[in-house]
């Protein structure tokens, strides 16, 4: 199952992000809390500082929303929802100009004295975001080759389905205004493409075709349901029909390019190549290491996991296969044990209920083992994924937006009724008795759900809006490891080899994602090599492996985020343990978790500085 953040990140896609502190020219002490002694005499100055900082931030965000209305809608800000800017060449240049205007302005703000560490961190995130934006529009130039960037569906779907912010007739007014801009949008999109990548072209055709039903069915149905005056309804309907025709002709235009490409073999490769991948990795992941170093780390971790799995397989073999001799090849041996254990799984009709039943046990465990403080006033609601959201992630967390801090958090689980019995069986074997527990830890407790609650309590709007995906995914992956270390999954007080093997397999997936990402985009990995890595060396089903190969081609750096964040959090924890041992202090796991999460969704590298330099 993939993760909810992907969607949000696609919507707000302009933003990628990193930058070495020093390259920005910001003094390192900006990241440290101001020493207490200094604070008192400077209070008046600090207050003036705080208000000018806040004012500048408000000015930035106001300008940002005005320039990026789709990101505003994705963040739940509907004030900008009426505008749908066409992706013209003029707009590209205007976005670069926006970044170039704000980069020095925010850097100047960063040079003022007396900033808190949280404010300094906010500025670093914004700087990274704007640098990434400029780089993306001037160097990466995916606006020319990735046709799947062009799709108007998300904001329309959100305006149709987000029923809580305004009544339907009012939302239809916004929809109407956007509809009128769709023809210009798609005309500009087609003109902007230049030697598009055939693979992304195919994706764009599929995704935009998926959006047709919005204009053929959903919007006309909403117009009927709204009880508008006939003339008003007819006007919106006419704009909707124009939008539909524009979308159809965009798809036809893409198909024409695709046909031509089939004839002459033209079109850019889907592979980013070394230079672009490594720069994108730096902006997106904001890790303390570069992409080649993380890749090497992942290769070493893969071997370590295979050794562990081989030992678990040896331990389990006699009880599963009695006197049969295990295969000499360790991959064959692990695969046999994995297949046998996977027979223990939920049933299609019980799947959602089985997940629901596990949440209280996880909560109880986290509290009793003193791992983290939970907030019982903000319960997690497990539900079947609403139909308009299905088919993207399998399982996901819907956290309340920034504008709705008291809202409910949902754990969305796709029911399995879309599957044939064979597909359901394969899916349930993948998410078997043990793996399902790890999934719940990852998505819910103490993974994404808990992290997002802590993040929402952090007062930084910037960190919530421009937060770091590697930190968010890294935390969820770290939560799995930490729960295993605390003894989760043990049977009668004894560590379970079954859980050990299945957790290692799950973790191997995270590690393989990072290996795959780098190998595909930098090292030219072929499909056969990719499938071999995923299926034979990481024990994934063929459906899982095929889907992952597809995702590795159409995305870049996102698949590295899980392992990058995870390995950095683990390293930070060990560094802190060492440091405190040298100081003669006892390391407290709960205090580590709570402090780590208190900084919002900041890059691990940033939190590391704050926590180590205290
Ligand atoms: Zn996740
Ligand atoms: Zn079965």
């Amino acid at each position: 199952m993939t993760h909810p953040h992907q969607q949000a990140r696609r919507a707000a896609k302009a933003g990628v992000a990193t930058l070495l502190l020093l390259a920005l020219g910001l003094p390192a002490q900006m990241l440290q809390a101001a020493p207490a002694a200094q604070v008192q005499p400077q209070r008046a100055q600090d207050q003036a500082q705080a208000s000018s900082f806040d004012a500048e931030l408000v000015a930035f965000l106001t300008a940002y929303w005005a320039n990026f209305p789709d990101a505003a809608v994705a963040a739940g800000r509907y004030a900008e929802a009426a505008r749908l800017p066409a992706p013209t060449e003029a707009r590209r240049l205007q976005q670069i100009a926006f970044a170039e205007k704000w980069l020095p302005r925010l850097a100047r703000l960063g040079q003022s004295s007396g900033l808190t560490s949280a404010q300094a961190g906010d500025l670093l995130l914004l700087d990274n975001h704007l640098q990434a934006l400029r780089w993306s529009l001037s160097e990466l130039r995916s606006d020319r080759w990735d046709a799947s960037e062009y799709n108007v569906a998300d904001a329309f779907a959100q305006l149709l389905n987000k029923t809580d912010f305004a009544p339907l007739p009012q939302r239809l007014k916004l929809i109407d205004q956007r509809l009128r801009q769709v023809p210009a949008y798609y005309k500009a999109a087609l003109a902007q493409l230049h030697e598009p990548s055939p693979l992304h072209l195919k994706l764009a055709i599929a995704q935009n075709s998926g959006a047709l039903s919005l204009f053929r069915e959903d919007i006309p149905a909403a117009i009927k349901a709204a009880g508008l005056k006939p003339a008003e309804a007819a006007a919106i309907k006419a704009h909707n029909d124009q939008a539909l025709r524009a979308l159809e002709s965009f798809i036809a235009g893409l198909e024409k390019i695709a046909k031509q490409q089939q004839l002459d073999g033209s079109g850019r490769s889907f592979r980013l190549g070394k230079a672009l991948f490594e720069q994108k990795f730096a902006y997106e992941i904001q890790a303390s290491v570069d992409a080649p170093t993380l890749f090497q780390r992942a290769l070493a971790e893969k071997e370590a996991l295979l050794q562990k799995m081989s030992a678990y397989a040896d331990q389990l073999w006699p009880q599963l296969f009695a006197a049969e001799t295990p295969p000499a090849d360790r991959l064959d041996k692990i695969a046999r044990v994995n297949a046998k254990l996977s027979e223990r799984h939920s049933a299609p009709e019980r799947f959602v209920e089985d997940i629901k039943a596990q949440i209280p046990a996880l909560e109880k465990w986290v509290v009793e083992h003193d791992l983290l403080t939970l907030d019982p006033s903000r319960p997690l609601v497990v539900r079947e994924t609403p139909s308009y959201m299905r088919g993207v992630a399998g399982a996901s967390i819907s956290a309340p937006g920034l504008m709705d801090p008291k809202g409910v958090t949902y754990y969305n689980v796709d029911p399995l009724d879309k599957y044939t019995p064979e597909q359901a069986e394969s899916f349930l074997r993948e998410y078997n008795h043990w793996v399902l527990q790890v999934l719940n830890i990852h998505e819910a407790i103490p993974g994404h759900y808990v992290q997002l609650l802590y993040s929402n309590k952090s007062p930084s709007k910037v960190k919530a809006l421009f937060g770091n995906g590697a930190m968010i995914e890294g935390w969820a992956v770290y939560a799995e490891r930490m729960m295993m270390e605390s003894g989760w999954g043990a049977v009668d007080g004894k560590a379970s080899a079954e859980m050990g093997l299945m957790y290692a397999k799950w973790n191997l997936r995270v590690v393989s994602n990072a290996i795959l990402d780098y190998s595909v985009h930098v090292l030219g990995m072929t499909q056969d090599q990719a499938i071999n890595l995923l299926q034979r060396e990481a024990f994934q089903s063929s459906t899982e492996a095929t889907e992952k190969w597809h995702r590795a081609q159409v995305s870049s750096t996102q698949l590295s985020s899980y392992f990058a964040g995870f390995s950095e959090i683990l390293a930070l924890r060990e560094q802190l343990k060492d440091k405190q041992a040298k100081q003669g202090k006892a390391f407290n796991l709960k205090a580590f978790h709570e402090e780590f999460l208190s900084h919002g969704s900041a890059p691990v590298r940033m939190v590391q500085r704050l926590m180590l330099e205290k």
Side-chain angles (χ1 to χ4, degrees), residues 378-586:
R378 305 290 306 280
L380 177 67
V381 178
V382 182
R383 66 173 178 186
E384 291 195 355
T385 312
S387 51
Y388 75 91
M389 291 171 64
R390 281 185 201 171
V392 179
S396 66
I397 294 289
S398 296
L402 255 195
M403 321 294 164
D404 182 22
K406 295 247 179 289
V408 177
T409 308
Y410 292 103
Y411 183 176
N412 308 307
V413 182
D414 280 18
L416 304 187
D417 46 19
K418 64 181 171 183
Y419 289 136
T420 65
E422 293 73 28
Q423 289 171 326
E425 172 69 14
S426 162
F427 179 89
L428 289 168
R429 287 174 63 92
E430 195 75 31
Y431 294 91
N432 58 52
H433 174 73
W434 295 278
V435 170
L436 196 57
Q437 298 174 45
V438 189
L439 176 74
N440 288 330
I441 291 170
H442 179 106
E443 297 292 343
I445 295 168
H448 289 314
Y449 154 69
V450 171
Q451 189 267 324
L452 290 168
L453 281 190
Y454 271 85
S455 185
N456 280 352
K457 281 183 192 153
S458 140
S460 164
K461 230 183 201 185
V462 169
K463 288 189 189 72
L465 289 166
F466 302 96
N468 176 251
M471 181 275 171
I472 293 170
E473 284 307 338
W475 170 263
V477 177
Y478 166 78
E480 302 159 7
R481 167 68 58 94
M482 178 263 282
M483 288 291 277
M484 297 304 137
E485 290 170 342
S486 75
W488 176 266
V491 179
D492 301 329
K494 281 206 307 209
S496 143
E498 289 91 340
M499 182 56 104
L501 184 117
M502 283 299 173
Y503 166 68
K505 182 194 143 173
W506 177 267
N507 198 233
L508 183 56
R509 179 155 88 164
V510 162
V511 172
S512 311
N513 281 347
I515 295 173
L516 183 70
D517 194 22
Y518 192 82
S519 303
V520 165
H521 287 287
V522 179
L523 305 177
M525 181 181 250
T526 64
Q527 176 168 6
D528 283 352
Q529 290 167 335
I531 298 296
N532 185 64
L533 167 72
L534 300 172
Q535 249 183 293
R536 176 153 167 81
E537 302 186 317
F539 315 102
Q540 297 177 10
S541 69
S542 87
T543 317
E544 184 95 4
T546 309
E547 282 172 6
K548 190 59 63 67
W549 160 245
H550 181 252
R551 186 170 150 201
Q553 295 171 88
V554 296
S555 74
S556 47
T557 73
Q558 203 273 337
L559 281 172
S560 295
S561 65
Y562 306 80
F563 181 62
F566 165 64
S567 62
E568 295 215 299
I569 295 171
L570 214 51
L572 168 59
R573 189 182 73 180
E574 299 315 305
Q575 285 171 318
L576 272 169
K577 267 187 197 163
D578 284 353
K579 186 185 165 196
Q580 297 186 352
K582 281 190 194 118
Q583 295 171 335
K585 287 189 220 155

Side-chain angles (χ1 to χ4, degrees), residues 11-211:
K13 92 161 277 296
V16 259
T18 268
L19 218 239
L20 295 172
L21 279 174
L22 298 176
L24 221 195
L26 294 175
Q29 67 266 24
M30 263 185 57
L31 273 180
Q32 298 170 20
Q38 249 185 314
V39 171
Q40 277 305 0
Q42 284 198 350
R43 176 163 291 170
Q45 198 191 325
D46 284 351
Q47 275 165 359
Q49 187 63 60
S51 63
S52 80
F53 179 89
D54 291 346
E56 191 71 344
L57 212 57
V58 168
F60 170 77
L61 284 174
T62 307
Y64 186 80
W65 297 134
N67 273 274
F68 301 96
D70 274 25
V73 174
R77 235 191 94 97
Y78 296 96
E80 324 290 341
R83 289 191 311 113
L84 173 63
T88 56
E89 181 64 9
R91 171 154 169 83
R92 181 178 76 87
L93 297 174
Q94 176 218 329
Q95 285 176 282
I96 294 174
F98 174 84
E100 286 183 338
K101 175 185 165 190
W102 280 97
L103 277 165
R105 206 163 145 179
L106 294 174
R108 266 199 304 284
L109 189 59
Q111 276 152 14
S112 42
S113 62
L115 291 184
T116 66
S117 55
Q119 291 170 330
D122 283 355
L123 288 178
L124 288 174
L125 278 179
L126 290 180
D127 183 81
N128 184 68
H129 184 82
L130 293 174
Q131 299 253 9
L133 175 67
R134 180 172 61 182
W135 174 80
S136 171
L137 291 166
S138 53
E139 305 287 328
L140 182 64
R141 294 302 313 267
S142 48
D143 61 303
R144 284 157 71 88
W145 54 262
D146 180 358
S148 74
E149 284 191 1
Y150 303 114
N151 193 325
V152 298
D154 279 353
F156 280 110
Q158 204 176 328
L159 288 170
L160 278 182
N161 293 308
K162 271 284 194 179
T163 52
D164 47 1
F165 91 93
L168 182 57
Q170 216 171 311
R171 284 183 280 130
L172 273 173
K173 281 215 175 86
L174 289 173
I175 287 173
D176 184 33
Q177 282 167 297
R178 287 185 81 85
L179 283 171
R180 297 182 212 193
Q181 299 163 80
V182 170
Y185 176 96
Y186 277 122
K187 189 171 167 238
L190 203 57
Q192 201 66 2
L193 288 171
H194 178 80
E195 293 185 13
S197 130
L199 197 83
H200 291 85
L201 200 58
K202 212 171 134 194
L203 179 67
I205 292 169
Q207 289 182 337
N208 277 286
S209 301

Side-chain angles (χ1 to χ4, degrees), residues 342-343 345 425 429:
S342 300
E343 288 170 9
H345 59 68
E425 172 69 14
R429 287 174 63 92

